[in-house]
Amino acid sequence: MKTLQRRTGIALWRQVADQIRQSVLTDLAANDRLPAEAELASRFGVNRHTVRAAISALEKEGILRAEQGRGTFLNDRKRLRYPIGSRTRFSSGLAGQIRSRSGRLLSEQIIHAPKEVSDALALPPGSMVIRLATLSSADGVAVSAATSWLDAGRFEGIGAIYAGTGSITAALARYGVDDYTRQSTAVEARHASPEDLDLLGLSPGAIVLVTRSVDVDEQARPLSYGQSRFAADRVELMIGGDP
Amino acid sequence: MKTLQRRTGIALWRQVADQIRQSVLTDLAANDRLPAEAELASRFGVNRHTVRAAISALEKEGILRAEQGRGTFLNDRKRLRYPIGSRTRFSSGLAGQIRSRSGRLLSEQIIHAPKEVSDALALPPGSMVIRLATLSSADGVAVSAATSWLDAGRFEGIGAIYAGTGSITAALARYGVDDYTRQSTAVEARHASPEDLDLLGLSPGAIVLVTRSVDVDEQARPLSYGQSRFAADRVELMIGGDP
DNA sequence: TTTGGTTGTCTAGATAAATAGACAAATAAG
DNA sequence: CTTATTTGTCTATTTATCTAGACAACCAAA
């Protein structure tokens, strides 16, 4: 166990929480008991109260449960495995991992395309595009917030259809798009913005996996450009077959 | 600009720094001037000194430079774009982005394979495997720390070869592996462990992109299983063609 | 040179986080 | 029932962080 750092803007209890979340999570199995608070305190070189603050935060996250007199235990939690590939369909690929999924439309706007968007969609600069903000949940827990841009001429009114179906695939089908593939995906990771913290129900300092992707139809014409933010503690992204 | 949160274990100045890094960075171009400290303070709803602490941290990260009497300016910094696909070769794909890259061997051990590793390499449980810890840098800046596992019988002494060449592709070639492909890659994001903070030269709370991948030879036989941690503020991962 | 706007530095006080110690309350084992 | 171990709660003190205000130093343009 390595040294924690001070005067760094990250409270010790939060550094301890991050450490426990990651190292203890990989060492222990579900329902195992953690070392006692006093033991953890000396192991991390901090006061027991600092460890308690960390544990309390992890309890709120649903990762641990503390029982007076018995100890602190690891809850059962697995990350959702999201497939990312040329034929990604969110609805499929999650089969077996969750019981239900839902997509909620947060907002729909028609705007002039920023450069990044017109480039991705191969539209003339400043073309009108539809901007959809959506939130996807699995088994009632928010897992990703997304922003999508589509050609306003071609997909007028798609927001209402998405709102009704909760699925992009279904919404595109109404416009005669029977099949599409993912042309490319870029992945990065950042601290969640305050807005995403709120949408995804995360606490500050939480991490989001950000994907930016372009979907194309059978003629390789760009259909939509999207940016999704996944709660990194609930999701991993999968490229290619099972490892 | 949204609300910052208090009593959350993340100092306000660090939340402000995270916000500036992400939102201001996307709005401004290289060498643009940031809003004045007083303006930022009122925009974020904090004291000017808090903003100054944030800016000072971003200066140390090399993102901003402050000049007395003139203002604070955005430095030129782009994330490295790492291709991830079935034919990933780190050395190629980075051409044009960097001038030099290097790989350093941190440690080599021969151990009994943990379950995760023997599964990935399709070896009997408990087989002997080589565990390599490596650090990759681009233009002198550390970008990723990796741990790789290989069949100890087949690749005896590969550590020394890697140490000499700094390249996995070159090392594998010595064992008659002329070509290999990436079977699968899983991506997740976490807070960096203290060890990775140290290796990658990051500050606490920093994020790493974690990939776990299996490489296979032409007969689809697993060659190596690896886990890489990329400094998320210096790298993005690219799947498929350019977006 | 003067003016307005900017970053840099200092002091002082208020709020949050971390340490230290003591003891209560629950649990499991002898 | 007794004992050892564990989490829960309380008080007090020290150390970081945040706020508030004032003014110096520097720059660019009038």
Side-chain angles (χ1 to χ4, degrees), chain B residues 113-193:
Chain B
K115 180 169 184 315
E116 183 186 9
V117 173
S118 54
D119 282 357
L121 294 178
L123 294 173
S127 302
M128 298 312 289
V129 290
I130 301 169
R131 192 192 113 113
L132 300 178
T134 57
L135 182 67
S136 294
S137 306
D139 291 338
V141 181
V143 288
S144 71
T147 310
S148 306
W149 290 267
L150 302 100
D151 183 346
R154 188 166 173 201
F155 298 105
E156 190 182 345
I158 194 171
I161 302 177
Y162 178 87
T165 61
S167 155
I168 284 277
T169 305
L172 287 175
R174 302 285 185 91
Y175 293 86
V177 178
D178 293 322
D179 194 28
Y180 63 92
T181 58
R182 181 141 293 184
Q183 182 188 58
S184 66
T185 308
V187 182
E188 55 188 85
R190 305 198 285 248
H191 289 108
S193 69

Side-chain angles (χ1 to χ4, degrees), chain A:
Chain A
M1 207 63 48
K2 269 298 226 13
T3 52
L4 305 182
Q5 303 186 32
R6 291 160 201 247
R7 336 176 104 264
T8 167
I10 311 242
L12 280 181
W13 66 261
R14 184 163 273 280
Q15 296 185 54
V16 170
D18 291 344
Q19 292 265 89
I20 291 178
R21 196 192 295 102
Q22 113 177 26
S23 67
V24 174
L25 260 180
T26 58
D27 294 352
L28 298 185
N31 297 314
D32 278 2
R33 210 198 80 185
L34 266 70
E37 292 172 352
E39 158 67 17
L40 286 172
S42 81
R43 197 182 290 188
F44 285 111
V46 299
N47 193 273
R48 182 178 153 230
H49 292 89
T50 308
V51 169
R52 284 182 59 72
I55 288 176
S56 155
L58 294 172
E59 269 194 290
K60 276 185 203 140
E61 287 183 33
I63 293 176
L64 303 179
R65 62 178 187 283
E67 299 179 22
Q68 186 171 31
R70 303 210 329 126
T72 303
F73 301 86
L74 188 57
N75 283 332
D76 196 2
R77 271 169 64 95
K78 264 197 301 233
R79 283 180 212 239
L80 269 185
R81 174 170 292 192
Y82 262 81
I84 291 207
S86 60
R87 308 198 62 74
T88 295
R89 298 292 180 278
F90 280 168
S91 8
S92 66
L94 291 179
Q97 297 190 69
I98 57 171
R99 287 186 300 281
S100 72
R101 63 151 246 123
S102 66
R104 191 156 66 85
L105 180 67
L106 302 175
S107 74
E108 176 179 19
Q109 291 177 296
I110 299 188
I111 57 169
H112 289 281
K115 180 165 185 318
E116 183 187 8
V117 172
S118 54
D119 282 357
L121 295 178
L123 294 174
S127 302
M128 300 310 291
V129 291
I130 301 170
R131 192 191 113 112
L132 299 179
T134 56
L135 183 67
S136 294
S137 306
D139 292 337
V141 182
V143 289
S144 71
T147 310
S148 307
W149 291 267
L150 301 100
D151 183 348
R154 187 166 173 200
F155 297 107
E156 190 183 345
I158 195 170
I161 302 178
Y162 178 87
T165 61
S167 156
I168 285 277
T169 306
L172 289 174
R174 302 284 186 92
Y175 293 85
V177 178
D178 293 322
D179 195 29
Y180 63 91
T181 58
R182 180 142 294 186
Q183 182 189 57
S184 66
T185 309
V187 182
E188 54 189 84
R190 304 199 286 249
H191 289 108
S193 69
E195 188 186 351
D196 286 341
L197 290 179
D198 186 44
L199 286 173
L200 297 171
L202 301 171
S203 38
I207 302 173
V208 287
L209 275 162
V210 183
T211 65
R212 287 176 288 119
S213 55
V214 179
D215 286 329
V216 296
D217 63 16
E218 291 161 282
Q219 289 79 45
R221 237 183 343 166
L223 289 170
S224 70
Y225 173 59
Q227 190 230 48
S228 298
R229 287 90 64 200
F230 295 86
D233 62 341
R234 316 209 254 257
V235 166
E236 72 173 16
L237 305 177
M238 193 67 209
I239 300 126
D242 259 314

